[in-house]
Amino acid sequence: QVRLVESGGGSVETGGSLRLSCEVSGNIYRSYCMGWFRQVDGAEREGVAVIGSDGTASYADSVKRRFTISQDSAKSTLYLQMNSLKPEDTAMYYCAAGGGLPCPAPPFLVGMDHWGKGTPVTISS
């Protein structure tokens, strides 16, 4: 059983930064893909960024050069560094994990079997 717990969300002004964290516990796969997703009420869940157990990362076009996904060396925590935030980045952000490589193509949803409960991000203009 894999457990994912997000933290780090909050409210910042346009242009600000936030760092989201996702604590990972349980029997993670030997080869895996983990990622960050976001969802606004009434809209579909959107893939933001994913990273594989091999270190390969991919990003949605809307966040390239602004967001960075990473893991700690023990691979027990997943991070999302978000810079140059925009009002359209406002959403509930979720951490997810799935087995196997390579990570799926955008929107990165295929194979994501485990999900956290989310952390809210609000960007004011």
Side-chain angles (χ1 to χ4, degrees), residues 5-10 18 20-22 35-40 45-49 62-63 66-67 80 82 85-96 115-123:
V5 180
E6 302 94 336
S7 63
L18 282 172
L20 305 184
S21 298
C22 174
W36 289 96
F37 298 79
R38 64 188 182 188
Q39 189 170 22
V40 177
R45 191 163 293 187
E46 174 190 17
V48 174
S62 59
V63 305
R66 298 190 299 124
F67 291 11
L80 185 69
M82 305 187 295
L85 285 161
K86 306 174 181 180
E88 50 264 44
D89 294 319
T90 295
M92 184 69 79
Y93 281 71
Y94 298 90
C95 173
W115 292 84
K117 296 185 182 300
T119 185
V121 171
T122 302
I123 312 303

Side-chain angles (χ1 to χ4, degrees), residues 9 11 16 24 33 37 44 50 55 64 74 94 110 113 125:
S11 298
V24 183
C33 182
F37 298 79
E44 293 187 355
V50 292
K64 283 181 180 177
Y94 298 90
V110 174
D113 300 322
S125 57

Side-chain angles (χ1 to χ4, degrees), residues 13-56:
E13 294 182 348
T14 298
S17 297
L18 282 172
R19 189 192 198 202
L20 305 184
S21 298
C22 174
E23 289 191 25
V24 183
S25 60
N27 296 320
I28 195 69
Y29 311 100
R30 177 170 296 183
S31 296
Y32 61 82
C33 182
M34 295 191 65
W36 289 96
F37 298 79
R38 64 188 182 188
Q39 189 170 22
V40 177
D41 286 346
E44 293 187 355
R45 191 163 293 187
E46 174 190 17
V48 174
V50 292
I51 187 167
S53 49
D54 61 354
T56 302

